[in-house]
Amino acid sequence: MSRVYNFSAGPAVLPESVLKEAANEMLDYRGTGMSVMEMSHRSKAYQTIIDEAEADLRKVMGIPDNYKVLFLQGGASQQFAMIPMNLMKNKVADYIITGQWAKKAWQEAKLYGQANAVASSADKTFSYIPDCSDLPISADADYVYICENNTIYGTKFHTLPNTKGKDLVSDVSSCFLSEPVDVTKYGMLYGGVQKNIGPAGVVIAVIREDLIREDVLPGTPTMLRYKTHADNGSMYNTPPAYGIYICGKVFKWLLSMGGLEVMKARNEKKAAVLYDFLDTSELFHGTVVKKDRSLMNVPFVTGDTELDAKFVREATEAGFVNLKGHRTVGGMRASIYNAMPMEGVQKLVQFMEKFEAENR
Ligand SMILES: *Cc1c(COP(=O)(O)O)cnc(C)c1O
């Protein structure tokens, strides 16, 4: 068996210890004589799995009691519709457009009400986060929406926007559990877990209780109401059972690592190795304004598309895989989520140094 260094933006690298544990439990989960994949979600064993997953996530993030944790399906993209359907009481919301995912969410919200783009960084290919300290927030906005870490462009809100008292809704898919967060600053945060937590198929939403309402937009399907899932402990219907089980293991891994303060310090150190190299390299360049750089997704280019392609090819042969940039941006992107070891980043930088020397 040989494992590569996987820099995929998602689905992405998971902690090896978690994968090994899952492998050990594959045929017989703790004496039940079956895999978690084969288990009724109404069984006692499974109830314990989902209860522990929620309790551990609450511990890891410090989620206050007045917030619900929901395990949902449909990907982060499903939330682009669920959010306006459930939260647009006045049918008005303000969106900050910092990349493709925010733009998609904004466009979807327009199907349900008045969705205003109150700021955007489209003018410079989303290479920065706009100043959000004094935006023209709508007086009757039901919420202000951001994509907190822009997976494709490699930017991150290091300061949350001033929402002028409106509830903040944040897509945290690609920075979920990468550093501590103050949940009370959000009305809702959510993310697909396939970036930094677990296998594709699970979306976790953390929502303040008063935002989970009966009076959603008319025609909202039962399955797309937060209340349906909140009232049924995320088990109104069959949940993505195996995915939640793996997420639960990752929460335990995070706790054993020392929690999110420790992860943040690790992630900062890891990202610095790559960014410091990009800042001194004569061949490779980062594409993002320094102060807005993401700790998780690091895009870079040589400025020559053929050389970019050569780099991706040779890197793949050397065991550094999935470094090709998003199809809309080109170049390269290294996603260095929680489970990417420091060693992987150091070795990638060594490889880049060698490539630079050979291709000067
Ligand atoms: C990947 C991603 C999405 C889309 O996720 P799906 O689960 O494929 O719908 C949305 N937002 C962000 C920030 C992402 O990184």
Side-chain angles (χ1 to χ4, degrees):
M1 185 200 68
S2 92
R3 284 179 55 83
V4 292
Y5 289 112
N6 180 6
F7 294 93
S8 170
V13 58
L14 289 171
E16 217 167 274
S17 61
V18 165
L19 297 175
K20 281 184 178 149
E21 238 181 77
N24 285 335
E25 293 173 346
M26 184 60 74
L27 296 181
D28 177 6
Y29 176 74
R30 302 187 187 176
T32 58
M34 64 179 86
S35 166
V36 173
M37 267 187 249
E38 305 169 297
M39 195 175 274
S40 165
H41 59 293
R42 306 291 178 201
S43 65
K44 211 175 143 202
Y46 193 75
Q47 190 65 52
T48 305
I49 289 172
I50 194 169
D51 288 348
E52 270 187 32
E54 177 174 342
D56 287 337
L57 179 63
R58 285 185 176 277
K59 205 185 293 171
V60 173
M61 288 183 79
I63 299 172
D65 288 343
N66 64 326
Y67 283 74
K68 290 274 189 204
V69 173
L70 307 179
F71 295 100
L72 307 169
Q73 307 190 50
S77 302
Q78 176 84 282
Q79 294 307 306
F80 299 168
M82 267 177 94
I83 288 162
M85 283 173 145
N86 284 270
L87 304 186
M88 266 190 175
K89 201 154 76 177
N90 302 328
K91 294 204 177 192
V92 180
D94 290 345
Y95 280 70
I96 298 172
I97 315 300
T98 52
Q100 264 197 38
W101 296 120
K103 193 171 162 195
K104 283 192 170 162
W106 170 52
Q107 283 167 339
E108 191 76 2
K110 285 199 249 181
L111 299 174
Y112 302 99
Q114 186 193 327
N116 309 303
V118 290
S120 168
S121 52
D123 60 335
K124 289 184 184 153
T125 355
F126 301 118
S127 57
Y128 70 102
I129 298 290
D131 177 2
C132 297
S133 57
D134 185 18
L135 297 174
I137 303 294
S138 311
D140 51 353
D142 293 308
Y143 58 86
V144 175
Y145 183 100
I146 61 168
C147 177
E148 198 159 327
N149 186 79
N150 296 280
T151 325
I152 296 173
Y153 300 94
T155 58
K156 160 113 205 287
F157 280 85
H158 293 295
T159 311
L160 293 176
N162 174 5
T163 63
K164 304 188 175 171
K166 304 299 179 191
D167 287 319
L168 180 65
V169 174
S170 178
D171 175 356
V172 299
S173 294
S174 49
C175 58
F176 224 158
L177 307 182
S178 63
E179 55 183 281
V181 289
D182 179 354
V183 175
T184 63
K185 292 197 169 137
Y186 302 81
M188 165 178 174
L189 59 87
Y190 77 95
V193 305
Q194 73 272 25
K195 307 291 159 68
N196 206 16
I197 303 179
V202 183
V203 171
I204 297 175
V206 178
I207 314 182
R208 214 178 56 229
E209 266 166 1
D210 59 286
L211 294 176
I212 300 175
R213 295 198 317 256
E214 206 95 54
D215 58 331
V216 295
L217 295 190
T220 300
T222 307
M223 273 295 286
L224 299 190
R225 298 172 190 214
Y226 293 129
K227 192 160 191 324
T228 301
H229 300 282
D231 287 351
N232 291 282
S234 299
M235 294 225 264
Y236 169 73
N237 68 328
T238 318
Y242 195 80
I244 294 169
Y245 155 75
I246 299 292
C247 292
K249 289 199 181 297
V250 172
F251 303 150
K252 286 195 193 297
W253 175 74
L254 288 167
L255 289 168
S256 77
M257 295 291 288
L260 298 188
E261 287 288 353
V262 173
M263 292 318 292
K264 182 183 186 196
R266 269 174 54 111
N267 288 329
E268 282 174 345
K269 265 197 201 153
K270 249 160 47 184
V273 169
L274 192 44
Y275 284 125
D276 288 351
F277 171 69
L278 291 172
D279 288 344
T280 53
S281 168
E282 285 178 17
L283 181 65
F284 296 102
H285 308 283
T287 57
V288 167
V289 168
K290 271 191 192 177
K291 70 173 180 44
D292 299 325
R293 283 169 164 176
S294 164
L295 292 180
M296 297 281 99
N297 311 98
V298 183
F300 55 94
V301 295
T302 64
D304 172 342
T305 49
E306 269 174 38
L307 204 53
D308 286 351
K310 185 179 181 206
F311 174 77
V312 171
R313 210 168 45 239
E314 291 185 9
T316 306
E317 282 163 15
F320 306 99
V321 309
N322 289 320
L323 281 165
K324 196 169 186 293
H326 190 269
R327 60 187 189 279
T328 60
V329 195
M332 281 74 71
R333 171 179 50 174
S335 294
I336 48 175
Y337 296 119
N338 283 342
M340 172 59 65
M342 175 57 120
E343 190 196 27
V345 180
Q346 284 166 338
K347 287 192 173 163
L348 172 65
V349 167
Q350 283 162 19
F351 179 81
M352 290 166 79
E353 281 167 346
K354 183 168 151 277
F355 185 89
E356 179 164 347
E358 289 167 0
N359 292 274
R360 239 196 268 275

